[in-house]
Amino acid sequence: MIINESQKVGKVYLLGAGPGDPGLLTIKGKTLLELAEVVIYDALVSKEILGMINPYAEKINAGKRRGNHSLLQLETTQLLIQKAKEHAIVVRLKGGDPFVFGRGGEEMTDLMAEGIPVEVIPGITAGIAAPAYANIPVTHRGYSSSVTFVTGHESAGKYRPDVNWKAIALGSETIVIYMGIHNLSHIIPELKEGGLDEKTQIALIRWGTTPAQEELYGTLGDILDQVETTGFSAPAIAIIGKVVGLKMKNQE
Ligand SMILES: C[S@@+](CC[C@H](N)C(=O)[O-])C[C@H]1O[C@@H](n2cnc3c(N)ncnc32)[C@H](O)[C@@H]1O
């Protein structure tokens, strides 16, 4: 597509690819992939969704580029700026939702500071979709009226404010933790100190919504041992609270 003089720069679409199942990509998202001239995508985006991209588009894997995390982010933003100056439709394709632990907000801010128009197309986030595919509702009448989405990444304090686990423990009836599997040995004692009982139920869901989905069920008292014995690993989310028990009840 030719960019005319009045337009000067193209537009960057921050597009959520959803959690894994290609059927969870929005119709708007699919249309954009078909029209895109450049697509810069992240590591967790499925092959099927990458297969929907306009065959003539330039495809760039942002997940595979070298350097440390902050350099990688800077490089990606600079690349987006450069591509938006050369093309009309530039898609930044991210796993799940771009604004949920996806650095979409940072990219939007940097692009806007350069005068580049940005449009955000939400995606279905893993923290809702993975429990849904495991038949766990994140809220449920009589079980949970509130849900917190929180990062369990060890370096949360570096990129985002530190997580106040003790406040979260009793502040929300369902807790959904992203990027927390490697840090559960720190998170669980904090949640217990914050007032959660040993018997509080927890589910871990790995590769949610894909054919490789794996689930591990336990309590705050035994999940660490289970993770160790099974070798359960990322990418996974943790769901904590009574809603996990609803799944067990429905299976009885
Ligand atoms: C950088 S965050 C990005 C989250 C994404 N923006 C979203 O809205 O789902 C990556 C983390 O999301 C979670 N995640 C993403 N896809 C997942 C999936 N299919 N199953 C389970 N967890 C997933 C994992 O905790 C993973 O480490």
Side-chain angles (χ1 to χ4, degrees):
M1 194 176 288
I2 294 167
I3 301 173
N4 67 33
E5 264 309 289
S6 60
Q7 214 177 335
K8 293 255 181 346
V9 291
K11 191 170 185 180
V12 174
Y13 295 85
L14 294 178
L15 170 59
D21 180 346
L24 295 178
L25 176 69
T26 60
I27 293 169
K28 195 165 182 178
K30 184 169 182 283
T31 308
L32 260 173
L33 290 180
E34 289 161 0
L35 296 173
E37 291 155 50
V38 183
V39 179
I40 301 177
Y41 62 93
D42 275 349
L44 284 181
V45 177
S46 71
K47 279 196 200 102
E48 290 89 342
I49 288 181
L50 296 179
M52 294 177 198
I53 298 172
N54 163 17
Y56 301 105
E58 183 183 2
K59 288 186 252 174
I60 303 168
N61 182 347
K64 262 206 184 152
R65 302 166 77 231
R66 81 213 118 73
N68 67 31
H69 221 66
S70 51
L71 187 66
L72 186 80
Q73 187 58 49
L74 188 68
E75 280 178 350
T76 304
T77 308
Q78 279 168 351
L79 194 62
L80 280 169
I81 293 167
Q82 180 204 322
K83 295 297 176 189
K85 288 179 177 166
E86 296 166 359
H87 299 275
I89 304 178
V90 177
V91 172
R92 176 70 176 109
L93 183 62
K94 288 171 170 288
D97 181 88
F99 277 178
V100 180
F101 305 122
R103 297 191 151 209
E106 284 158 72
E107 289 176 13
M108 177 184 69
T109 303
D110 291 347
L111 289 162
M112 284 178 165
E114 288 287 322
I116 293 165
V118 177
E119 186 173 329
V120 183
I121 292 108
I124 299 183
T125 189
I128 293 175
Y133 272 44
N135 296 330
I136 301 171
V138 290
T139 69
H140 186 74
R141 202 147 58 104
Y143 282 69
S144 169
S145 309
S146 55
V147 54
T148 294
F149 298 102
V150 56
T151 173
H153 202 287
E154 292 90 334
S155 56
K158 200 165 149 199
Y159 301 112
R160 305 180 175 94
D162 261 326
V163 175
N164 186 344
W165 292 104
K166 292 190 189 93
I168 286 174
L170 296 182
S172 177
E173 288 150 308
T174 306
I175 304 169
V176 178
I177 305 172
Y178 291 67
M179 298 173 280
I181 302 303
H182 300 302
N183 207 20
L184 283 179
S185 57
H186 162 71
I187 296 167
I188 289 177
E190 292 270 310
L191 290 174
K192 288 204 254 179
E193 255 188 70
L196 282 186
D197 193 74
E198 284 259 306
K199 295 197 186 86
T200 308
Q201 282 153 317
I202 177 167
L204 308 183
I205 306 172
R206 178 171 194 261
W207 289 121
T209 80
T210 76
Q213 175 163 317
E214 277 176 12
E215 300 157 36
L216 187 66
Y217 292 89
T219 63
L220 291 188
D222 67 21
I223 199 73
L224 287 174
D225 285 343
Q226 288 207 59
V227 168
E228 200 171 308
T229 36
T230 58
F232 196 93
S233 61
I237 51 150
I239 304 116
I240 298 171
K242 266 193 189 173
V243 288
V244 178
L246 180 68
K247 154 119 185 173
M248 303 303 166
K249 196 173 154 226
N250 285 337
Q251 274 182 340
E252 278 167 16

